[in-house]
């Protein structure tokens, strides 16, 4: 789902039941390490949507947004 940017598909898959939130969290962190902040943000938002008390994913959202802002700033400065 993530490679195809199929966020509705991922959301439906997760809401449908049996998924590994730890694996999705790890995937989001992997995307952050590779500076793919948009993908990390989308995954974290889905995790929070499913579990509003997911503090770790809330932190991922904040870090992903900061990464997106830094990339935009770098592009603007060039």
């Amino acid at each position: 789902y993530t490679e195809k940017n199929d966020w509705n598909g991922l959301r439906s898959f997760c809401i449908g039941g049996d998924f590994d939130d730890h694996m999705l969290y790890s995937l989001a962190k992997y995307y952050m390490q590779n500076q793919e902040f948009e993908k990390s943000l989308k995954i974290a938002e889905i995790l929070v949507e499913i579990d509003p008390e997911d503090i770790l994913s809330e932190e991922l959202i904040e870090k992903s947004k900061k990464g997106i802002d830094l990339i935009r700033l770098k592009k603007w400065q060039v």
Side-chain angles (χ1 to χ4, degrees):
Y1 296 108
T2 60
E3 289 303 311
K4 294 180 181 180
N5 291 318
D6 182 3
W7 305 112
N8 289 329
L10 181 61
R11 182 178 293 106
S12 295
F13 173 76
C14 293
I15 290 172
D18 195 26
F19 76 99
D20 186 348
D21 59 341
H22 178 70
M23 186 167 70
L24 278 179
Y25 177 79
S26 296
L27 182 59
K29 287 182 71 173
Y30 167 80
Y31 282 133
M32 282 187 61
Q33 291 172 349
N34 289 304
Q35 296 188 357
E36 295 182 65
F37 299 110
E38 296 282 345
K39 287 184 178 184
S40 176
L41 177 62
K42 291 287 190 182
I43 293 171
E45 288 174 340
I46 290 171
L47 287 169
V48 169
E49 182 180 326
I50 292 167
D51 180 6
E53 296 179 15
D54 187 342
I55 295 170
L56 293 176
S57 293
E58 284 286 350
E59 291 174 7
L60 273 179
I61 289 172
E62 290 177 30
K63 290 178 182 178
S64 295
K65 286 181 178 179
K66 286 180 184 178
I68 290 168
D69 289 343
L70 282 174
I71 288 175
R72 287 181 183 155
L73 182 62
K74 286 180 183 179
K75 286 181 181 179
W76 185 75
Q77 290 178 345
V78 172

